[in-house]
Amino acid sequence: MNKNIAIFASGKGSNFVALVKAVKQRRLNCRIGLLVCDNPHAPVLEKARKAGIETLLVERPAFASREAFEKEIIRHLKAADIKLIVLAGFMRVLSPLLVNAFRGRIINIHPALLPAFKGAHAIEDAFQYGAKITGVTVHFVDEQVDHGPIILQEAVPIKPADTLASLEKRIHQVEHRLYPRAVRLCLEGKVRVAGRSLKPRS
Ligand code: GRF
């Protein structure tokens, strides 16, 4: 039976769409059981509606604390029997409550080669820094921001003629190819985490 995954997103949702497409084309064998979104104006909400994917809109200001906000999310994740949480542009740092409830079952995509250029403006930061190579990282989520063990990484060269927009475009193209592969790896259970590394499961 197909495992249920939840995608968390706050914005545009191009990675969400790439994952929906991968499932449709059977490159990814799972069911997207839930989209969790914290932003009522996020374009991803309309994309989920179009794709017929159940959506949970949770607005942080409606809750007294981050824990109360996450408890509500956890309740829905458990009800939907979610096996893997896929963060795709979710603009909130998860607290230990959620990280512990799904330890080893939360992954994130970051538009740089971690540990370089952590944070919310990674593409622009690498571009402004004058880096010659940047890239994309998919990693497990732990209590620290952009920190957990790396699942997949791919380099993207920054060319002399690049503008920020052209670099962003190439980074997103790599993201859309890499994320479905990483989700598949995690769901197949063929890898295990050993310290900071991923090893084949024997
Ligand atoms: C992506 O660049 C991802 O790496 C970062 O947030 C962005 C989300 O873009 N974490 P989108 O909403 O999937 O288009």
Side-chain angles (χ1 to χ4, degrees), residues 68-81:
F69 167 74
E70 289 188 353
K71 268 188 189 156
E72 176 68 1
I73 297 177
I74 292 170
R75 198 170 65 76
H76 281 85
L77 295 172
K78 297 241 153 115
D81 191 27

Side-chain angles (χ1 to χ4, degrees), residues 113-128:
L113 290 178
L114 291 174
F117 304 111
K118 294 182 178 187
H121 310 286
I123 305 177
E124 186 171 358
D125 291 347
F127 184 75
Q128 300 298 0

Side-chain angles (χ1 to χ4, degrees), residues 16 20 31-33 46-55:
F16 170 81
V20 169
R31 184 176 162 271
I32 302 173
E46 183 51 30
K47 290 173 177 157
R49 264 178 228 122
K50 275 198 184 138
I53 287 165
E54 194 181 322
T55 298

Side-chain angles (χ1 to χ4, degrees), residues 131-196:
K132 301 288 180 218
I133 297 173
T134 184
V136 174
T137 304
V138 181
H139 65 94
F140 284 106
V141 170
D142 62 13
E143 282 81 356
Q144 296 178 54
V145 176
D146 299 331
H147 175 265
I150 291 170
I151 301 164
L152 288 177
Q153 247 177 348
E154 188 170 316
V156 175
I158 302 179
K159 300 172 184 167
D162 260 329
T163 60
L164 181 55
S166 67
L167 176 62
E168 276 171 350
K169 191 169 166 207
R170 286 211 314 288
I171 296 253
H172 292 315
Q173 283 168 349
V174 172
E175 287 187 331
H176 301 161
R177 185 159 40 74
L178 211 61
Y179 219 4
R181 273 181 54 206
V183 171
R184 196 170 63 221
L185 262 181
C186 294
L187 290 176
E188 283 176 344
K190 287 184 181 159
V191 288
R192 66 185 170 85
V193 178
R196 286 209 51 88

Side-chain angles (χ1 to χ4, degrees), residues 22-71:
V23 171
K24 233 184 221 166
Q25 297 176 341
R26 298 176 191 251
R27 282 179 285 125
L28 185 55
N29 203 4
C30 68
R31 184 176 162 271
I32 302 173
L34 193 63
L35 167 77
V36 177
C37 181
D38 63 331
N39 171 11
H41 308 294
V44 70
L45 288 171
E46 183 51 30
K47 290 173 177 157
R49 264 178 228 122
K50 275 198 184 138
I53 287 165
E54 194 181 322
T55 298
L56 172 67
L57 173 64
V58 267
E59 295 182 60
R60 171 65 185 86
F63 295 86
S65 64
R66 185 160 68 150
E67 283 66 30
F69 167 74
E70 289 188 353
K71 268 188 189 156

Side-chain angles (χ1 to χ4, degrees), residues 9 11-16 88-91 108-111 123 171-172 175-176:
K12 201 160 90 199
S14 69
N15 281 282
F16 170 81
F90 191 61
M91 298 310 285
N108 182 45
I109 189 157
H110 184 75
I123 305 177
I171 296 253
H172 292 315
E175 287 187 331
H176 301 161

